[in-house]
Each structure stands twice: as structure tokens, then as C-alpha cells.
């Protein structure tokens, strides 16, 4: 009669994960009980492993189980380009595309004065330091196309251009497969503003 | 360069859970990386604990971390009634209602000749054994209201009635808050067939 059973405890843990409601948490917990023991142990171990073995790369601040990360260590990457992103998931998104061969820099946030996030609260200084030896010729700012992402891009441009690097911004416009009719007006405006001759 | 990183391993484990697609698995894995270490360990431990400490009650075959389970051990439950369900989740559903005070019996399946599931493949014999001492006066068959659940209920009635117990079946009809217009015809037919005077 300790009040909380191991099953309740597991349901609560699952329920605490983002996007996992009470019902899904219950379904997952019962599924774990149905798994064979080795499989359940392996799931638990994967959680511990990920947490223990993954840290931040000392160069680009992406998550990695090696330091520097595999991308920073690679001899096949173009060291003259850095793609700046908000979070590690964004590196994964660009890598999935398979045709970007430069390096990355993960800011771990965006400038957001309203939320009290200034340049010193994200990995901005570390980005500037990487430009010191002159290897990097271009910085592609791939923060999200929203107010904070744009502000961060503007700030980066103002700060980095004087250092002699080209600062570029990812294009905004209609997503491939998108629909003019369904697109919001800001996106349509951007798509027209950024039109190019064909 | 072992091919699979701890992050990929964790994503795969999450992706293997029911109803968790690739994108959700990635979101969950990144969330684990963001958790503090103690919390992640606690999640992993909850999985191991649930698996190691939960087994089946020797009386009702519900999942439990005690044996017999708390319900079978309780002196406050009515031992003259057994509610027969398909799976442990169904016990949880009835318990949530908070006004059933009898015992349970979990079959761990339903009769399904097409899938080769006969009475010996579910905990049927164990149910019959529980009726031997004459304490039980009523067996409520709460298998799901579908073909297999009904067949199981019919089988139970035929087998248990001769032993002198009352065998009842949960009602089928429109769910509370349901809508005649949206209900399927079999449910509407059942609701009308099972009508009662008011």
C-alpha cells in the first residue's frame, strides 16, 4: 500500500514526455509490460546511454557522442562554410537533405529580447571565435523564418560582415508541394518578393 | 564510426513503441537529451522496475506488483462477484468507474477460432477453478462487444451456468454523450433491442 505502483510510476513518466497524453502513456506502459524483458532493458539502457554518452561538440555545439563531433572532425566537409542553426534538430534536418557539405554552428536558442534572451545567452561569441583564423568565407544563417529567427539573422549579419565573411540567409517562400491558396499572406509576400527570373 | 549513434539507437527504440512514428520518436529522443540526468535515469528505472516488479496475480491473472494482487487480497471487495475481462487494461477501466466492488478475472485474450485461439489458450480453466468452492454467485462477462467478445461470453455462459452461478453480460448500446445519427447500425439495433421502460 505504498500508494504508487510501478505501473503508475511508469505511466506518469511517459505522461511527462511532450505530446504524450494520459491515454497514450497508459498504452505505452502496458506495452512495456508486454515486451520481453531483454527488450525493455534495452529501451531503458538506450535512454541512459543517450544521456550519458551524448554531449556538445566543443566546436559547433551540436549534440554528439564524440568531441569534436563527426562533422567537425571530417576531412570531407567544406570548412569554408558554416550553417548557423537554432537547435541540434535543425542540423539533423539539413543533414537529411544530403547535399550540404559545410560545417554547422548550433546557437541553442535565438535572440528574444522579450524573453530576456540576448547574444550572451546563446552560442554567439563561440561563433565569432570560429571566424578568427579566416578559414570561414560564408556563414549561412538558417534560423527559423519568424520574428526572432529574422532578428537573430540581422544581428549576425551586422556583427559578422565587418569580419570579412559573407553572411547569407536561407530563402523564405512557399514550401514545395504547397498551395498558394492555403499559404498565409506573409509567406506569399515573401515568395513574390524573392521571385527569380526563369 | 560504429554506424549507429546512441541518439539513433534511442530514436529506434522509441519508434518501435506502438503509435510512435519516426518524427515523434525523434522529438522524444531530443527531449530525453534535454532532461536533467536524474530525470532520464528515473525514466529508465521506471521501465526496468515495471518490468521486473510486475507479474500476474495467481488468482485473477491481472498484472500486479503483489501476489495475490491488492484487489484479490482486499477484505473490502465482494467475493461473490467476478467480472471477466479480456486484458489488464480493462480492469483499470472498470476500476476507474469506482463503483464496482467485486473481483476480476483476466482471460488474456478471447476465443477466436479463426486465429486458432481456443479455451485452453486463455485463462478459462483458471476461471472455472475459482468457482469450485461456491463462493462466487455471479460472473459478469465484460469482454468487448464484438464478434469474438460475444462468442467468448456465450461460451462462458454455456460452461458456467451448469455450475450454478449466474452469468451476466455487460449492456451494449449508445455510449453516454453519443449521437444516434453518428452511431453504427449494429449499435443502434442493440440500443433499441435492449431498451427498458422508464
Amino acid at each position: 500500500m505504498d500508494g504508487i505502483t510501478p505501473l503508475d510510476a511508469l505511466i506518469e513518466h511517459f505522461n511527462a514526455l511532450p505530446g504524450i497524453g494520459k491515454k497514450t502513456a497508459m498504452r505505452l506502459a502496458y506495452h512495456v509490460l508486454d515486451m520481453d524483458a531483454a527488450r525493455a532493458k534495452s529501451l531503458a539502457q538506450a535512454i541512459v546511454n543517450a544521456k550519458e554518452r551524448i554531449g556538445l561538440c566543443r566546436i559547433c555545439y551540436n549534440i554528439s557522442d564524440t568531441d569534436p563531433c563527426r562533422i567537425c572532425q571530417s576531412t570531407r566537409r567544406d570548412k569554408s562554410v558554416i550553417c548557423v542553426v537554432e537547435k541540434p534538430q535543425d542540423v539533423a534536418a539539413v543533414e537529411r537533405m544530403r547535399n550540404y557539405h559545410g560545417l554547422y554552428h548550433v546557437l541553442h536558442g535565438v535572440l528574444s529580447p522579450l524573453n530576456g534572451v540576448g547574444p550572451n545567452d546563446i552560442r554567439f561569441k563561440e561563433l565569432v571565435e570560429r571566424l578568427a583564423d579566416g578559414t570561414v568565407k560564408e556563414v549561412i544563417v538558417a534560423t527559423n523564418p519568424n520574428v526572432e529567427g529574422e532578428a537573430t539573422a540581422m544581428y549576425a549579419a551586422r556583427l559578422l560582415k565587418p569580419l570579412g565573411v559573407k553572411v547569407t540567409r536561407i530563402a523564405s517562400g512557399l514550401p514545395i508541394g504547397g498551395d498558394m491558396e492555403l499559404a498565409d499572406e506573409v509567406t506569399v509576400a515573401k515568395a513574390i518578393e524573392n521571385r527569380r527570373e526563369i
Side-chain angles (χ1 to χ4, degrees), chain A residues 5-80:
Chain A
T5 67
L7 179 63
D8 290 335
L10 184 57
I11 292 173
E12 274 183 24
H13 269 94
F14 280 140
N15 195 14
L17 295 172
I20 304 289
K22 186 81 185 185
K23 290 234 164 175
T24 305
M26 287 176 63
R27 194 163 43 76
L28 293 177
Y30 281 109
H31 179 81
V32 167
L33 294 183
D34 267 351
M35 282 179 172
D36 64 74
R39 186 81 196 149
K41 211 155 214 161
S42 161
L43 167 60
Q45 196 54 51
I47 292 169
V48 171
N49 270 354
K51 199 59 205 169
E52 281 178 356
R53 292 177 44 196
I54 297 177
L56 297 183
C57 168
R58 82 185 81 165
I59 299 173
C60 72
Y61 296 92
N62 189 16
I63 53 166
S64 174
D65 58 328
T66 61
D67 187 18
C69 73
R70 290 183 174 77
I71 294 174
C72 285
Q73 274 186 49
S74 171
T75 54
R76 276 182 264 170
R77 309 290 301 213
D78 177 356
K79 298 201 185 309
S80 72

Side-chain angles (χ1 to χ4, degrees), chain A residues 170-183:
Chain A
I170 51 163
S172 288
L174 257 69
I176 303 299
D179 188 323
M180 278 294 274
E181 191 186 334
L182 303 174

Side-chain angles (χ1 to χ4, degrees), chain A residues 20 27 34 38 76 117 138 140 161 187 189 197:
Chain A
I20 304 289
R27 194 163 43 76
D34 267 351
R76 276 182 264 170
V117 182
E138 180 179 359
I140 304 171
K161 273 182 182 171
T187 300
E197 208 171 303

Side-chain angles (χ1 to χ4, degrees), chain A residues 121-140:
Chain A
D121 301 309
I122 59 179
R123 302 283 184 176
F124 216 94
K125 193 171 81 263
E126 293 84 345
L127 173 60
V128 175
E129 282 162 8
R130 291 179 67 182
L131 307 178
D133 69 359
T135 313
V136 177
K137 305 298 177 205
E138 180 179 359
V139 169
I140 304 171

Side-chain angles (χ1 to χ4, degrees), chain A residues 82-104:
Chain A
I82 289 181
C83 176
V84 176
V85 296
E86 295 179 20
K87 52 192 188 300
Q89 290 93 312
D90 302 333
V91 172
V94 179
E95 283 296 290
R96 273 198 294 279
M97 187 180 69
R98 289 178 179 279
N99 59 2
Y100 173 73
H101 302 294
L103 303 178
Y104 292 93

Side-chain angles (χ1 to χ4, degrees), chain A residues 178-194:
Chain A
D179 188 323
M180 278 294 274
E181 191 186 334
L182 303 174
D184 66 288
E185 52 269 50
V186 186
T187 300
V188 173
K190 270 287 172 195
I192 291 176
E193 183 189 325
N194 297 334

